[in-house]
Amino acid sequence: MSTSMLDQLYREVILDHHRHPRGRHELERIDIEESGLNPSCGDEVTLQFELDGDIIKDVAVIGRGCAVSTASGSMLAELVKGKTIEDARKIAEIFKRIMHGDDPPSEMDLGDLEALTGVRQFPVRVKCALLPWVTLLRAAVDASEKRAKVAGGEGEGSANGDG
Amino acid sequence: MSAEKTSQEPPFVWPELSGHFPALQRTVNAHRLVYLDTAATAQKPETVIRAEQAYYRDLNANVHRGIHTLAEEATAAYENCRTRVATLIEAPSPSSVVITRNATAAINLIARGLEHTLKPGDEIVLTEMEHHANLVPWIMLAARNGVVLRHIPITDGGELRLDALKELLSPKTRIVSLVHVSNVLGTINPVAEVAEAAHRAGAIVAVDAAQSVGHMPVSMKELGADLLVFSAHKCYGPMGLGFLAARPDLLDTMEPMEGGGEMINEVFLDRATWAEPPLKFEAGTPNVAAAAAFPAAIDYFENLGLDNVREHERMITQYALEKLAGLPGLVVFGPPDAARRGGLVSFHDPEVHPHDMATLLDQAGVAVRAGHHCAQPLHRRLGVVATTRASFGIYSTREDVDALCEGIRFARRYFS
Ligand SMILES: Cc1ncc(COP(=O)(O)O)c(C=O)c1O
């Protein structure tokens, strides 16, 4: 059986993240929670964030998935912890573009995530790699909506009161 | 090209048949293709491919419209498909067979067509093991008009709980719609028994025979089915072709779902009357090429004999069950005895996720399906998000099963 193609997909870092996924712990406080589902296979992932202002203080990644989506979620946990939500969102956007064929930007260090670019040779598996990241993108939208609400809270309240 | 010279003696393994299927001659990732995804779609024999080509080469014309020679021949070919299907499944008559796009379209047609006979609170009984094709059209119907959906539960062994059926049936039950052979568990359901109980309660019975027609003898009459659907592509025929066979009085009652050419009797600017069934349900230009080719597929498995085809699948499935049982920790779903199963086996490997399993097997040329196989509620019931499924056809051999098991062992080593 040929393993060279396979080793492109399942690089050693990926197998390591798959065997020992990061972010599999309970958070003290959950400020944002978002779940994602891959409807073609039923894989699911839930991301939980504990925030300190705009900073992601801690992140938990819970889910049932294949080696690729598990590794991708584990890398997410490692990469976004300590970053602002906006920076995490940018990484997710860039990673999404890379997985859809763009070249990785030279000025950016993707860390272990770079290893997942091999998945592009297996087009049906690209959505496995993206599942945690598109879930993060939705969580970022939640976060900004929440912030908008808090910021506009008083004004909104009085407007409702008037109505 | 015909299968006539083939040995029809036990043990019904026909390795020479694979030579009739062009796609099976391919290599995949430098390996012989081992195609174990027949339940998704069966490979097509050369005769079927030639028949579809011949339609476009020699005969291409629209049906039921021209009075020139090509149009007449095309119409005859199209109607011949209907007649052959009626005989194949023992439908009441050729005119009780509606030609559709696929099995899914046929079930949607039933739900839409009978909608006006159902009122809020009426009950439709399905099962926990249905394909989304026999769930979602009913969910959509319930959302539109308030019918209540109930489901026959299954045992942990993957069989219908007939004891529970008795409690589900009542004078409110209007339709019982169930799968003949489960595309995940493999279970062959006791449709005739269910139908008898349903009829006693005054309900009509619809059967999703997508996984059984062409793989075993299937008779509407013997099953007690008032309606029956299947797709040509799962039984060695072309894609884009399916069937709804139904009791003639039900077809009279059913409303058409689509309006347009061919389905009418008389049209005015503000009103129209419908053609008689089955044409009432066949608006627009159908897939005539597929219909012209499907009889070649029927010829193919009828030459082998459907009893022999069934025995072959039973034997390969039995062999697979025994081989898979030799892999420690592997969980196989469905009845333990191949005599109660169609030609497929779904399993869960605690060490290797189905997606990874399918990718690794593909590297060895073994094509399986991984995922929920359009049966999410069933997977929830089984307690897994996804399974890996190997499914068999007339060309499947013991060597194919051996390649599968070898691949699983390789995957386990790879991820250990
Ligand atoms: C049991 C069952 N019902 C219905 C279908 C739907 O068939 P089609 O996609 O051809 O409409 C399938 C195919 O996946 C099936 O296995």
Side-chain angles (χ1 to χ4, degrees):
Chain A
M1 208 158 309
S2 102
T3 54
S4 56
M5 269 290 272
L6 281 179
D7 295 342
Q8 285 289 315
L9 176 62
Y10 299 110
R11 297 196 192 152
E12 202 43 56
V13 250
I14 295 178
L15 291 177
D16 179 62
H17 276 278
H18 164 57
R19 292 189 187 112
H20 314 286
R22 287 42 144 189
R24 286 266 164 114
H25 57 278
E26 302 239 327
L27 299 186
E28 277 179 27
R29 199 183 73 221
I30 299 166
D31 294 305
I32 302 173
E33 179 172 281
E34 185 72 48
S35 294
L37 181 79
N38 186 343
S40 68
C41 64
D43 279 3
E44 51 202 23
V45 69
T46 298
L47 303 182
Q48 297 170 336
F49 298 92
E50 181 182 344
L51 300 180
D52 180 2
D54 278 350
I55 307 275
I56 299 168
K57 205 173 147 203
D58 201 359
V59 53
V61 182
I62 305 146
R64 296 202 274 185
C66 61
V68 173
S69 75
T70 305
S72 182
S74 169
M75 292 171 188
L76 181 150
E78 231 174 40
L79 262 170
V80 306
K81 191 170 162 175
K83 292 203 166 55
T84 63
I85 300 169
E86 179 52 22
D87 283 345
R89 195 192 60 77
K90 275 188 194 140
I91 297 172
E93 285 288 0
I94 289 166
F95 182 57
K96 201 171 141 187
R97 281 205 297 273
I98 293 171
M99 293 310 285
H100 286 142
D102 279 12
D103 288 330
S106 50
E107 74 281 3
M108 191 156 174
D109 179 16
L110 287 170
D112 289 354
L113 213 47
E114 205 275 326
L116 280 171
T117 56
V119 177
R120 291 187 296 184
Q121 290 178 44
F122 296 77
V124 292
R125 303 298 303 276
V126 164
K127 54 184 183 309
C128 307
L130 285 178
L131 177 62
W133 294 93
V134 296
T135 308
L136 183 146
L137 286 174
R138 280 209 314 278
V141 173
D142 288 358
S144 70
E145 276 170 6
K146 229 178 189 174
R147 225 175 6 232
K149 234 187 221 158
V150 173
E154 252 193 58
E156 228 169 82
S158 58
N160 285 345
D162 291 342
Chain B
M1 196 71 325
S2 100
E4 270 154 71
K5 280 192 247 72
T6 301
S7 133
Q8 300 199 351
E9 296 302 311
F12 304 118
V13 174
W14 301 306
E16 66 274 26
L17 289 194
S18 69
H20 301 165
F21 294 79
L24 295 179
Q25 310 315 309
R26 277 193 59 166
T27 53
V28 167
N29 295 319
H31 291 269
R32 170 178 83 89
L33 168 62
V34 175
Y35 188 75
L36 297 178
D37 201 16
T38 295
T41 196
Q43 292 301 343
K44 324 301 175 203
E46 181 79 49
T47 47
V48 170
I49 298 166
R50 290 238 179 99
E52 184 153 341
Q53 272 186 354
Y55 167 80
Y56 284 119
R57 282 176 171 279
D58 305 333
L59 192 113
N60 182 46
N62 215 323
V63 286
H64 300 302
R65 338 197 158 182
I67 37 169
H68 54 79
T69 303
L70 261 54
E72 273 169 16
E73 286 179 8
T75 304
Y78 185 71
E79 291 303 320
N80 176 50
C81 175
R82 203 190 300 279
T83 306
R84 292 295 305 275
V85 166
T87 311
L88 173 68
I89 58 171
E90 295 202 282
S93 66
S95 63
S96 57
V97 175
V98 178
I99 298 180
T100 66
R101 239 173 30 250
N102 48 41
T104 304
I107 298 174
N108 278 281
L109 181 54
I110 299 173
R112 279 279 189 183
L114 290 173
E115 180 167 353
H116 70 288
T117 69
L118 301 165
K119 55 184 190 306
D122 281 354
E123 293 185 357
I124 294 174
V125 172
L126 310 169
T127 83
E128 276 184 349
M129 63 166 88
E130 296 309 311
H131 187 281
H132 294 166
N134 195 29
L135 288 173
V136 183
W138 304 111
I139 292 171
M140 292 165 79
L141 173 66
R144 284 196 302 271
N145 85 340
V147 295
V148 176
L149 307 182
R150 316 202 62 185
H151 302 86
I152 308 174
I154 60 169
T155 64
D156 290 341
E159 297 186 89
L160 289 182
R161 280 192 39 207
L162 293 183
D163 56 320
L165 171 65
K166 291 191 189 70
E167 278 140 47
L168 288 174
L169 292 172
S170 78
K172 283 193 224 152
T173 315
R174 302 291 310 281
I175 301 172
V176 176
S177 186
L178 79 163
V179 71
H180 186 197
V181 172
S182 160
N183 67 314
V184 176
L185 300 162
T187 314
I188 303 175
N189 285 319
V191 173
E193 228 176 298
V194 173
E196 209 190 304
H199 287 150
R200 246 184 283 122
I204 58 172
V205 175
V207 178
D208 173 359
Q211 293 294 345
S212 54
V213 173
H215 297 267
M216 59 185 68
V218 174
S219 158
M220 257 183 100
K221 216 159 61 191
E222 280 176 29
L223 291 175
D226 301 299
L227 305 123
L228 182 142
V229 307
F230 72 101
S231 283
H233 72 93
K234 292 190 196 275
C235 47
Y236 313 100
M239 287 196 169
L241 183 72
F243 303 93
L244 163 64
R247 250 171 44 200
D249 61 303
L250 289 175
L251 291 182
D252 286 337
T253 303
M254 282 168 62
E255 293 279 1
M257 192 169 144
E258 295 176 319
E262 239 56 70
M263 55 77 70
I264 49 84
N265 184 26
E266 219 180 352
V267 179
F268 304 91
L269 284 178
D270 57 352
R271 69 203 141 89
T273 56
W274 313 148
E276 292 296 309
L279 292 188
K280 176 169 97 172
F281 303 103
E282 296 180 12
T285 301
N287 192 341
V288 188
F294 188 46
I298 300 177
D299 286 343
Y300 193 87
F301 53 70
E302 285 193 336
N303 280 339
L304 293 167
L306 275 170
D307 284 318
N308 297 335
V309 167
R310 164 62 192 147
E311 178 53 16
H312 164 78
E313 281 190 24
R314 188 204 61 76
M315 200 212 64
I316 291 286
T317 304
Q318 187 61 40
Y319 183 72
L321 290 172
E322 283 162 18
K323 281 288 189 168
L324 291 170
L327 295 165
L330 200 83
V331 181
V332 174
F333 298 103
D337 175 7
R340 305 214 300 280
R341 307 176 61 118
L344 63 93
V345 181
S346 300
F347 56 88
H348 173 72
D349 187 319
E351 292 162 50
V352 187
H353 186 280
H355 260 180
D356 299 313
M357 183 68 86
T359 294
L360 264 75
L361 288 172
D362 184 56
Q363 288 303 306
V366 180
V368 295
R369 178 141 181 220
H372 52 59
H373 320 299
C374 300
Q376 283 182 351
L378 173 58
H379 278 76
R380 235 168 261 134
R381 168 69 179 81
L382 298 174
V384 291
V385 285
T387 53
T388 308
R389 179 184 73 192
S391 55
F392 312 115
I394 35 191
Y395 34 66
S396 302
T397 61
R398 289 193 178 90
E399 286 70 33
D400 294 348
V401 174
D402 292 340
L404 168 71
C405 293
E406 186 47 46
I408 296 171
R409 269 187 228 103
F410 169 75
R412 289 178 154 197
R413 281 198 304 276
Y414 193 85
F415 280 102
S416 67

